[in-house]
């Protein structure tokens, strides 16, 4: 039965008001990880699913934390899985301009931790699902909403546990998660949306400098602090040349074409290492691009010394390396060892994260995402990319399910930096489009499957 356009529009307006209210309440629920207790969040989502009469299931993870899934059954068991995490990172309240957990709507934005990462997207996914439930639509593909705990600490006892143990319940053939967004920083005339098709792999390294302890009144060539500082200086001043991966460069070429200028022509010659290193030097200044084009090393912890007049025996630094898919991390360590070239320095791997596969940027789901975004943002460009951050989508890519990270909103640099930073908020106008786009993606991918 066709429902007339105005009824659909009225339903959407009604739902969007509810979505905003739900997001405000959801932000107020404390799910800061650690400890990442999500009991109240699960009860909150459960109450919405119950009210809407949507079938749901609650799963217990080994940590005692829970995950919750909602289902709109389609003609097939194959599903589009809308993946989101309930936990958020802590907020340093003193550095915020507003209460990090008030969930207030002010100056055209909904404010608070989770507005972007990722309670906002979670609520939008839920509302998109409710839109179909209220209209009693039976899609061709099943739609699954899955909210998990512990993404912010790696997801092993969250999304990974669920995918390893309850795959039959979910049956995803496509997954939408976080990890991408739209920006006008590339060309102010139109937005460019980056959709994550893969993610970098994290390798945490300890670099240990061995020296000789002694009295600090006499400078020593064996001071481990000096040895460590020299090594770290070499590392930070010699970033790795951008990788020659085709997907990566297809995106860089398109971006430089959109920006205009000489870089477009240079980017087309990306197979030449010298050209890549020139572009890399330029993009080094732009934090986001620097992170997506090459393997990176960030010094995050330095430990050494006990007293000002004592030279210690050892000094250590911890480095967060993020490497592109298909990179062997031993090569990354070998490069660093060669660069440092000092046998008093020891490299140890303290943590190795999972390798992520890359999802196809020509798949039906990617195309649905692309078309939906373009129908709500005039002249938008939608490009695949490799996100520098870790997300739960990797557990689905591991099982060869096309999984994409996209929060379909346009954000500026300050908003981008508020992910895990201060003053996190989502602009309401963008949030509305996000809800519309998600509804449209479900329509294209789950309801009109096979139609053009
Ligand atoms: Zn997140």
């Amino acid at each position: 039965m066709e429902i007339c356009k105005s009824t659909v529009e009225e339903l959407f307006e009604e739902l969007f008001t509810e979505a905003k209210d739900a997001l405000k309440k959801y932000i107020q629920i404390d799910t800061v990880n650690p400890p990442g207790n999500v009991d109240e969040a699960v009860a909150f989502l459960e109450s919405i699913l119950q009210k809407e009469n949507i079938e749901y299931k609650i799963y217990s993870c080994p940590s005692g934390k829970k995950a919750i899934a909602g289902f709109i059954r389609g003609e097939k068991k194959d599903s589009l899985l809308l993946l989101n995490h309930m936990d958020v990172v802590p907020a340093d309240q003193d550095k915020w301009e507003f209460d990090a957990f008030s969930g207030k709507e002010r100056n055209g934005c909904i404010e608070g931790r989770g507005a972007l990462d990722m309670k906002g997207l979670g609520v939008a996914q839920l509302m998109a699902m409710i839109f179909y439930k209220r209209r009693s639509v039976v899609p061709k593909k099943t739609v699954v909403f899955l909210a998990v705990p512990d993404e912010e600490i790696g997801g092993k006892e969250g999304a990974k546990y669920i995918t390893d143990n309850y795959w039959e319940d979910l049956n995803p053939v496509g997954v939408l998660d976080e990890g991408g967004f739209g920006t006008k920083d590339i060309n102010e005339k139109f937005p460019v949306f980056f959709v994550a098709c893969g993610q970098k792999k994290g390798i945490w390294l300890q670099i240990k400098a061995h020296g000789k302890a002694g009295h600090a009144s006499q400078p020593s060539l064996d001071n481990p602090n000096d040895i460590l500082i020299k090594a770290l200086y070499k590392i930070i001043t010699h970033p790795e040349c951008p990788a020659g991966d085709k997907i990566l460069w297809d995106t860089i070429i398109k971006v430089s074409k959109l920006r205009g200028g000489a870089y477009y022509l240079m980017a087309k010659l990306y197979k030449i290492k010298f050209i890549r290193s020139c572009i890399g030097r330029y993009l080094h200044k732009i934090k986001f691009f620097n992170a997506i084009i090459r393997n990176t090393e960030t010094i995050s912890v330095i430990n050494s010394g006990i007293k000002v007049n004592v030279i210690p025996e050892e000094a250590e630094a911890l480095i967060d390396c993020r490497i592109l898919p298909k990179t062997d991390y031993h090569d990354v360590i070998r490069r660093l060892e060669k660069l440092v070239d000092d046998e008093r320095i020891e490299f140890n791997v303290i943590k190795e994260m999972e390798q992520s596969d890359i999802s196809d940027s020509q798949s039906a789901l990617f195309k649905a995402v692309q078309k939906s975004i373009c129908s709500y943002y005039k002249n938008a460009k939608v490009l695949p990319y490799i996100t520098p951050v870790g997300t739960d989508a990797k557990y689905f890519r591991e099982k060869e399910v096309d999984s994409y990270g996209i929060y379909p909103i346009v954000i500026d640099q300050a908003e981008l930096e508020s992910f895990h930073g201060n003053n996190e908020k989502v602009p309401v106008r963008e949030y509305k489009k996000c809800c519309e786009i998600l509804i449209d993606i479900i329509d294209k991918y789950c309801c009109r499957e096979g139609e053009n």
Side-chain angles (χ1 to χ4, degrees), residues 85 87 116-118 151-152 178 390-391 419-420:
H85 62 84
D87 57 330
L116 295 172
D117 185 11
M118 73 168 290
E151 191 273 348
E152 296 293 359
E178 62 179 345
T391 68
F419 276 86
H420 290 210

Side-chain angles (χ1 to χ4, degrees), residues 414-434:
E415 282 151 358
L416 181 60
E417 286 186 3
S418 75
F419 276 86
H420 290 210
N422 305 327
N423 304 323
E424 185 175 342
K425 56 181 188 266
V426 60
V428 173
R429 218 187 47 201
E430 293 299 314
Y431 194 54
K432 191 169 186 180
K433 282 196 185 177
C434 162

Side-chain angles (χ1 to χ4, degrees), residues 30-31 36-43 65-67 86-87 148-150:
D30 180 357
T31 57
N37 187 336
V38 293
D39 285 354
E40 206 185 323
V42 169
K65 292 175 190 170
K66 291 179 185 127
M86 296 175 278
D87 57 330
V148 293
D150 281 349

Side-chain angles (χ1 to χ4, degrees), residues 37-235:
N37 187 336
V38 293
D39 285 354
E40 206 185 323
V42 169
F44 172 71
L45 297 171
E46 182 184 17
S47 70
I48 298 175
L49 291 166
Q50 249 171 8
K51 190 179 125 244
E52 299 295 332
N53 215 4
I54 292 176
E55 175 193 341
Y56 70 92
K57 223 169 167 177
I58 292 174
Y59 302 98
S60 281
C61 300
S63 59
K65 292 175 190 170
K66 291 179 185 127
I68 183 164
F71 305 85
I72 301 248
R73 297 286 171 199
E75 291 168 16
K76 298 185 197 171
K77 276 175 97 183
D78 290 353
S79 78
L80 167 64
L81 189 131
L82 307 170
L83 177 65
N84 62 91
H85 62 84
M86 296 175 278
D87 57 330
V88 295
V89 291
D92 186 357
Q93 185 60 69
D94 293 347
K95 309 272 181 348
W96 284 53
E97 287 162 12
F98 47 81
D99 181 349
F101 298 97
S102 75
K104 256 196 194 137
E105 185 173 346
R106 213 165 46 118
N107 304 327
C109 291
I110 296 173
E111 300 173 334
R113 180 57 93 215
L116 295 172
D117 185 11
M118 73 168 290
K119 287 177 170 172
L121 184 52
V123 168
Q125 291 174 342
L126 183 57
M127 289 302 155
M129 182 184 225
I130 292 172
F131 180 83
Y132 288 94
K133 176 70 185 176
R134 286 203 193 159
R135 288 176 55 204
S136 308
V137 171
V138 178
K140 289 182 183 161
K141 283 192 191 78
T142 294
V143 183
V144 180
F145 167 87
L146 177 65
V148 293
D150 281 349
E151 191 273 348
E152 296 293 359
I153 55 164
K156 284 223 166 75
E157 294 207 13
K160 172 137 180 72
Y161 178 76
I162 303 292
T163 54
D164 284 347
N165 292 280
Y166 300 102
W167 192 257
E168 299 293 297
D169 279 7
L170 308 172
N171 281 301
V173 290
V175 172
L176 290 181
D177 185 27
E178 62 179 345
F181 56 89
T183 172
K184 276 195 166 174
D185 289 346
I186 289 162
N187 192 323
E188 59 189 26
K189 290 187 197 124
F190 50 82
V192 179
F193 286 83
F194 291 97
V195 178
C197 291
Q199 64 188 53
K200 289 172 94 179
K201 170 185 166 116
I203 302 288
W204 292 354
L205 291 183
Q206 177 205 48
I207 297 195
K208 212 176 208 179
H210 299 276
K212 224 181 231 170
H215 200 294
S217 60
Q218 298 144 59
S220 156
L221 294 175
D222 293 321
N223 183 340
N225 291 332
D226 297 1
I227 297 167
L228 181 68
I229 289 167
K230 281 181 197 155
L232 296 180
Y233 181 75
K234 285 183 187 163
I235 292 172

Side-chain angles (χ1 to χ4, degrees), residues 167-322:
W167 192 257
E168 299 293 297
D169 279 7
L170 308 172
N171 281 301
V173 290
V175 172
L176 290 181
D177 185 27
E178 62 179 345
F181 56 89
T183 172
K184 276 195 166 174
D185 289 346
I186 289 162
N187 192 323
E188 59 189 26
K189 290 187 197 124
F190 50 82
V192 179
F193 286 83
F194 291 97
V195 178
C197 291
Q199 64 188 53
K200 289 172 94 179
K201 170 185 166 116
I203 302 288
W204 292 354
L205 291 183
Q206 177 205 48
I207 297 195
K208 212 176 208 179
H210 299 276
K212 224 181 231 170
H215 200 294
S217 60
Q218 298 144 59
S220 156
L221 294 175
D222 293 321
N223 183 340
N225 291 332
D226 297 1
I227 297 167
L228 181 68
I229 289 167
K230 281 181 197 155
L232 296 180
Y233 181 75
K234 285 183 187 163
I235 292 172
I236 55 176
T237 50
H238 293 84
E240 196 170 325
C241 178
D245 187 89
K246 193 172 177 316
I247 299 178
L248 184 74
W249 283 94
D250 278 350
T251 296
I252 299 285
I253 289 167
K254 283 177 190 146
V255 167
S256 36
K257 191 176 179 186
L258 301 174
R259 269 183 95 90
Y263 279 97
Y264 169 53
L265 296 172
M266 279 178 72
K268 286 184 87 170
L269 300 171
Y270 75 91
K271 285 192 178 141
I272 305 167
K273 199 174 173 193
F274 172 72
I275 299 283
R276 289 205 305 278
S277 95
C278 291
I279 296 175
R281 231 169 287 149
Y282 168 71
L283 291 177
H284 194 213
K285 293 173 230 154
I286 310 169
K287 208 165 113 178
F288 171 69
F289 280 112
N290 183 50
I292 65 173
I293 58 168
R294 63 172 120 221
N295 303 322
T296 57
E297 299 92 20
T298 301
I299 302 161
S300 39
V301 176
I302 296 178
N303 290 319
S304 177
I306 43 161
K307 194 165 179 279
V308 69
N309 60 352
V310 176
I311 296 175
E313 181 96 12
E314 285 176 351
E316 70 153 18
L318 303 182
I319 299 193
D320 185 345
C321 300
R322 299 286 165 140

